[in-house]
Amino acid sequence: MNFFKSMDITNEKDSAKTSGDVEKVKCLIIGSGPAGYTAAIYAARANMSPVLYEGLQPGGQLTTTTEVDNFPGYPQGVTGPVLMEDLKAQATRFGTDVRFGLATAADFSGRPHKVEIDNTKTIEADVVIIATGATAKYLGLESEEKFKGMGVSACATCDGFFYKGRDVAVVGGGDTAVEEATYLAGICNKVYLIVRRDELRASKIMQERALRTKNLEILFEHQTKEILGDNSGVTGVRLIRKGNEEVDIKIDGFFVAIGHHPNSDIFAEYIKTDENGYIITTPGSSKTNVSGVFACGDVQDTHYRQAITAAGSGCMAALDAERYLGSLED
Ligand code: NDP
């Protein structure tokens, strides 16, 4: 989809001047998670005058978590929302122009790169840093929504610690689910892995790891019907075994690990992704297949997906963008 197809390119700039709905910037950052804000801190300090659009969920996925104990620099831990406010304050301190708004389309067919915001305004940018993140998939149950943050989580490394010595369940049968389940098995008393089919999708090596883990029980052919709980949070889960038999198990935490959806759809016409939609970057860099467009954070990370790794890749994107801008001036 090319949202400029219907535009008369010759008149585009003139109409911009008069209508004010086209704006030219040097550096556009899309996304406001740790990757976007770290890119902004570096870009602002390099005099790139970054403009950052926050997207649908300002602060990104971390704003939905409670305590974050594994982000360096916070010896007593920090809540996700506070961490994101701190990152935002640091980015604005150096002059980042942080704005509400959602990128709704992109045209990377020529230069400058064009990104449409809220289906109305067009930003023309010399460099674009995509830090749009990924969205964890949920089962879509009413009870799941009700207990989000009260025992339902989509991130074991973020929240697993709160279930030390207790019983939890993980739903999913892919590499993420097995990885999260084995991680939780090291912390928790007992972990149930709820798998809807009679086999795991996870790679053989991960399957073997799961089978070797003594306090991990795999419940094949089980579907989640309802998450049970009270005012204190999750107390159990109701499962359907082999399509008919109802089974309740007692748990304190329910982890959803049925995949993530990288927020790359609007760039798909121009930016190469893998089969799951993750943006492909040149190894060891944040470069995409389009020069002047860089990607960082979870939208390009199938593997680590941590706040600190996202922040690190945001730094890389800003440095790559700065070098790219420098090469244009040479
Ligand atoms: P996947 O898409 O690979 O797996 C999703 C799993 O969730 C599948 O088992 C699927 O079941 C199950 N599922 C989906 N919807 C539901 C539902 N509504 N109810 C119950 N179960 C459901 O996602 P992952 O996040 O696991 O992995 C994504 C990619 O990242 C993969 O390529 C993976 O290899 C990679 N990855 C690699 C890691 C590593 O190498 N260490 C770690 C984590 C991820 P079904 O099988 O029946 O479709």
Side-chain angles (χ1 to χ4, degrees), residues 137-139 171-179 194-197 199-203 206 209 222-224 257-260 274-276 278 302-303 305:
K137 291 182 196 161
Y138 283 89
L139 297 170
V171 62
D175 281 330
T176 302
V178 171
E179 197 168 69
I194 303 164
V195 181
R196 66 179 173 185
R197 287 189 293 136
E199 60 176 359
L200 292 167
R201 179 186 291 272
S203 52
M206 299 291 273
R209 193 190 293 179
H222 282 69
Q223 294 266 15
T224 306
I258 60 169
H260 283 77
D274 68 11
E275 68 280 9
N276 295 314
Y278 286 92
T302 56
H303 196 74
R305 296 197 282 247

Side-chain angles (χ1 to χ4, degrees), residues 61-325:
Q61 288 183 70
L62 273 182
T63 56
T64 64
T65 64
T66 47
E67 285 296 315
V68 178
D69 281 330
N70 55 8
F71 198 90
Y74 291 94
Q76 304 307 323
V78 61
T79 66
V82 169
L83 172 59
M84 294 322 301
E85 276 306 313
D86 283 352
L87 284 170
K88 181 178 180 177
Q90 196 172 353
T92 50
R93 178 178 152 219
F94 296 109
T96 305
D97 184 351
V98 177
R99 303 175 182 176
F100 283 118
L102 179 69
T104 42
D107 181 351
F108 297 150
S109 59
R111 289 193 200 135
H113 300 306
K114 301 182 180 84
V115 175
E116 185 192 62
I117 306 293
D118 294 332
N119 293 310
T120 50
K121 181 182 172 109
T122 299
I123 301 288
E124 294 185 345
D126 294 327
V127 289
V128 176
I129 295 177
I130 301 172
T132 44
T135 308
K137 291 182 196 161
Y138 283 89
L139 297 170
L141 302 171
E142 216 173 281
S143 51
E144 175 188 53
E145 191 59 39
K146 183 174 164 192
F147 292 112
K148 261 187 202 167
M150 287 177 65
V152 171
S153 166
C155 179
T157 37
C158 315
D159 297 327
F161 184 75
F162 302 111
Y163 301 94
K164 197 173 175 182
R166 293 154 87 179
D167 294 353
V168 299
V170 177
V171 62
D175 281 330
T176 302
V178 171
E179 197 168 69
E180 305 242 306
T182 48
Y183 171 81
L184 288 166
I187 300 170
C188 302
N189 175 54
K190 167 105 190 191
V191 179
Y192 299 95
L193 182 59
I194 303 164
V195 181
R196 66 179 173 185
R197 287 189 293 136
D198 61 354
E199 60 176 359
L200 292 167
R201 179 186 291 272
S203 52
K204 277 279 168 286
I205 192 163
M206 299 291 273
Q207 295 196 25
E208 283 162 14
R209 193 190 293 179
L211 294 171
R212 274 201 313 269
T213 306
K214 290 203 171 61
N215 59 339
L216 172 58
E217 184 180 345
I218 306 178
L219 304 175
F220 286 109
E221 293 184 84
H222 282 69
Q223 294 266 15
T224 306
K225 184 178 181 194
E226 192 186 349
I227 293 148
L228 310 170
D230 55 26
N231 288 342
S232 67
V234 169
T235 57
V237 61
R238 181 157 298 152
L239 306 171
I240 305 288
R241 194 161 81 99
K242 295 195 173 175
N244 53 29
E245 189 191 342
E246 240 177 50
V247 186
D248 286 359
I249 54 172
K250 279 190 179 173
I251 49 159
D252 298 308
F254 183 82
F255 290 85
V256 188
I258 60 169
H260 283 77
H261 183 71
N263 301 318
S264 63
D265 294 359
I266 62 163
F267 312 109
E269 188 178 340
Y270 303 98
I271 301 291
K272 279 192 188 145
T273 65
D274 68 11
E275 68 280 9
N276 295 314
Y278 286 92
I279 292 178
I280 296 169
T281 50
T282 307
S285 86
S286 65
K287 292 176 190 162
T288 69
N289 59 301
V290 176
S291 55
V293 179
F294 305 89
C296 53
D298 285 11
V299 74
Q300 53 85 58
D301 181 359
T302 56
H303 196 74
Y304 299 103
R305 296 197 282 247
Q306 299 300 300
I308 191 61
T309 51
S313 70
C315 161
M316 289 166 64
L319 295 178
D320 288 341
E322 186 189 359
R323 280 178 202 137
Y324 170 81
L325 285 174

